[in-house]
Amino acid sequence: VAVTGVQTCALPIYAQILIDKYLGTYPNLKAWMEQSEQKAIKNGFVETPTGRRRHTKLLHTIYKKTGQTKFTKYFTNTLISKYGKVEGYEDGVDLYLACRNLLNNSKNSQIQSLAASVVNTALIEFSRRKQKELPEAKIILQIHDEVILSVPKSKKEQACKLLQECMEKNRVAKMLDIP
């Protein structure tokens, strides 16, 4: 039997300590995460450099109604008491969880979507270039950022080099400021 996932048994206080230490190590990441949340709230969406959007209408609706940019359990309970139902959420806890989920998605979707754009653009470039440079190569499968190719063993290094070049130097990858 294979273990497909691991769940930590850390208490929330210890988990928060780990998160705080991690974000303390990467202050630009923390700033980006906070900016992403504010964009999701104030604009009603976040957007990748390639133009893909993740809409966050619920957050924006609450912001327009209250001016609030922080979503706590206390706030969502107070919100329902003061304004009544919000988008069908009768319970403040359910509303809080929905808001937290959207805030998490506002960050995750940008990363996942941009990664998908890089890989998709790279594979289009790889398909174009392999016609001349490596016609025996076949793209078998892509899952997220993994690509499986079929090539003769004698062409393995050439295929890896071509794919790496397509991944690192495609038009989407060039938009990113990665050292």
Side-chain angles (χ1 to χ4, degrees), residues 126 130 134-141 148-151:
F126 180 83
K130 81 173 188 72
L134 200 61
E136 55 272 269
K138 293 183 176 92
I139 299 170
I140 302 297
L141 182 65
I148 298 174
L149 303 176
S150 174
V151 293

Side-chain angles (χ1 to χ4, degrees), residues 13-142:
I13 188 79
Y14 296 122
Q16 190 60 54
I17 290 169
L18 289 173
I19 291 168
D20 291 344
K21 280 185 178 183
Y22 182 82
L23 293 176
T25 304
Y26 302 101
N28 290 344
L29 175 61
K30 183 177 183 177
W32 174 82
M33 290 170 67
E34 290 169 355
Q35 290 167 2
S36 293
E37 287 187 1
Q38 291 306 304
K39 285 178 185 176
I41 293 165
K42 292 179 179 177
N43 300 336
F45 64 89
V46 290
E47 189 173 54
T48 68
T50 59
R52 290 186 188 196
R53 284 187 176 186
R54 173 68 162 105
H55 292 274
T56 55
K57 182 182 174 189
L58 175 61
L59 299 174
H60 188 62
T61 300
I62 294 169
Y63 171 70
K64 285 192 312 188
K65 191 179 275 193
T66 67
Q68 182 68 25
T69 60
K70 297 288 181 193
F71 295 90
T72 63
K73 289 178 192 170
Y74 174 77
F75 168 70
T76 53
N77 281 323
T78 304
L79 178 71
I80 288 179
S81 298
K82 187 173 182 179
Y83 294 99
K85 283 206 265 184
V86 176
E87 297 264 333
Y89 295 93
E90 294 180 33
D91 182 305
V93 174
D94 287 344
L95 179 59
Y96 167 76
L97 293 173
C99 290
R100 290 302 324 152
N101 187 47
L102 282 171
L103 291 169
N104 288 337
N105 286 339
S106 73
K107 296 171 283 206
N108 186 54
S109 66
Q110 291 180 82
I111 295 167
Q112 295 293 331
S113 183
L114 188 56
S117 293
V118 169
V119 173
N120 291 343
T121 305
L123 288 180
I124 290 167
E125 178 67 10
F126 180 83
S127 289
R128 188 185 63 73
R129 288 185 55 188
K130 81 173 188 72
Q131 299 303 321
K132 286 184 180 178
E133 299 174 41
L134 200 61
E136 55 272 269
K138 293 183 176 92
I139 299 170
I140 302 297
L141 182 65
Q142 174 206 343

